[in-house]
Amino acid sequence: MDSPSSSSMINFYYNEFFADGDGSTDEELEQEAVTSACQLAVRYVNHSRRPEAPKNKRGYVERDRRAAHERLMKDYFDEAPTFSNEVFRRRFPMSKRLFLRIVSDLEANYDYFKQKPDARGYLGFTGIQKCTSALRILAYGNTTDINDEYLKMAEKTTRDSLEHFCRGIIDVYGARYLRTPTWEDLQKIYEVHNAEHGLPGMIGSIDCMHWRWDNCPTAWRGQHTRGDQKGPTIILQAVASQDLWVWSAYFGVRSGFLAKLQKRRFTQMETTTPMDII
């Protein structure tokens, strides 16, 4: 519909109020003209106004958290679970007893891992679900939206669970497990390693692996690339004792200077006093 022009409005007024000759008084004609003009003005404004853009409401996905929790318990944590302990250890990179201990400690120390109702009154995720989500991301290197199908957990909740899990592990177990060995620890490790392998003065075996670094900056690719690798990598190096304690860990570029420095520190530790291990 085209908007009314000024000429059409003049013709309308003339034909409507002055050309009919019905004997109406000037006052009545004036009142009718004003009323009709107001109506035409309203029509013109409504016609010229831009249509309002539709408001985009935030989408909500109804997730059955309870059914996801029951399925997880049936698969791994019931008395007769669907998957065996060997499958659990492969998918969770730890034993079931250790996993349940971690969940219990995190629930006891952090309110985030306790199951609480949300703003609608529905119960949220359990500590087992949040810890399972974090371990799946850490063990498989998956994206944060991978748990939406099995655990019914949104991407933001997965990221929050991963962050709280890592912080909780460091705070709860850091004092005991994330530390350098004491002199007493070294003496025990020396004795066990000597009795097992017949090599005195060693705390364990060193192992290295290359982790592919796809997002390596261009300026750094030369120092992170070797001939036997297809692209830039980061070296993961660890020294573990007989009881599977990791006493040394290093991530980065393995340089000759670092090797000499690390060798000197191990020599000082063996002959004099304990030193921090890189």
Side-chain angles (χ1 to χ4, degrees):
M1 177 180 179
D2 297 332
S3 60
S5 62
S6 59
S7 60
S8 62
M9 293 177 66
I10 294 174
N11 294 331
F12 173 79
Y13 285 133
Y14 177 80
N15 295 327
E16 185 70 18
F17 302 111
F18 299 102
D20 53 358
D22 59 352
S24 302
T25 62
D26 294 340
E27 185 178 355
E28 292 175 349
L29 290 174
E30 183 180 358
Q31 184 177 1
E32 291 180 7
V34 172
T35 303
S36 299
C38 293
Q39 293 176 352
L40 284 175
V42 172
R43 289 173 54 191
Y44 180 78
V45 170
N46 292 334
H47 180 81
S48 303
R49 182 181 300 169
R50 294 181 179 179
E52 296 182 359
K55 296 182 179 179
N56 295 326
K57 297 183 179 180
R58 182 180 178 182
Y60 177 75
V61 179
E62 186 66 33
R63 295 175 173 87
D64 196 348
R65 305 171 185 171
R66 181 177 179 180
H69 174 72
E70 293 176 353
R71 181 170 58 251
L72 179 62
M73 298 298 294
K74 181 180 179 181
D75 287 343
Y76 297 103
F77 300 100
D78 283 349
E79 294 183 359
T82 303
F83 301 102
S84 63
N85 292 331
E86 290 74 14
V87 176
F88 184 95
R89 180 178 288 274
R90 185 175 71 248
R91 294 179 178 176
F92 286 76
M94 64 180 65
S95 65
K96 186 184 302 184
R97 179 181 59 85
L98 177 58
F99 176 81
L100 294 177
R101 176 191 170 187
I102 292 175
V103 173
S104 178
D105 291 342
L106 292 179
E107 288 179 343
N109 290 276
Y110 296 94
D111 189 63
Y112 178 81
F113 291 94
K114 298 178 181 178
Q115 188 180 31
K116 302 181 297 295
D118 56 14
R120 303 176 301 163
Y122 294 105
L123 287 176
F125 295 101
T126 62
I128 289 181
Q129 286 175 291
K130 293 178 178 178
C131 292
T132 300
S133 172
L135 283 176
R136 289 293 174 86
I137 299 298
L138 294 174
Y140 292 99
N142 292 328
T143 56
T144 52
D145 63 344
I146 195 67
N147 295 325
D148 201 357
E149 295 180 349
Y150 180 69
L151 297 176
K152 301 301 179 182
M153 186 176 294
E155 183 176 357
K156 182 180 183 304
T157 308
T158 301
R159 290 197 306 268
D160 294 342
S161 300
L162 178 61
E163 181 178 354
H164 283 82
F165 180 84
C166 294
R167 292 180 181 273
I169 292 297
I170 294 173
D171 294 341
V172 175
Y173 303 109
R176 175 171 174 79
Y177 297 104
L178 302 179
R179 62 178 180 85
T180 56
T182 62
W183 186 248
E184 289 76 13
D185 293 332
L186 287 174
Q187 295 301 320
K188 294 179 181 179
I189 295 173
Y190 285 160
E191 295 174 0
V192 173
H193 197 85
N194 187 21
E196 184 73 19
H197 302 284
L199 297 175
M202 294 185 62
I203 67 171
S205 302
I206 187 172
D207 191 15
C208 300
M209 66 172 291
H210 287 267
W211 181 32
R212 185 173 178 180
W213 190 5
D214 294 330
N215 296 328
C216 177
T218 304
W220 296 358
R221 286 181 175 269
Q223 59 180 329
H224 287 273
T225 303
R226 286 193 352 182
D228 58 343
Q229 302 295 325
K230 295 183 178 180
T233 60
I234 294 179
I235 296 179
L236 311 182
Q237 172 186 295
V239 176
S241 57
Q242 189 71 22
D243 53 357
L244 300 183
W245 277 57
V246 178
W247 293 111
S248 174
Y250 174 78
F251 309 118
V253 181
R254 180 66 173 165
S255 63
F257 172 77
L258 181 60
K260 295 179 181 178
L261 178 62
Q262 202 167 30
K263 180 178 180 181
R264 184 170 67 251
R265 287 197 173 185
F266 276 110
T267 304
Q268 292 176 349
M269 183 184 302
E270 182 178 356
T271 57
T272 57
T273 57
M275 298 289 290
D276 293 340
I277 299 180
I278 296 177

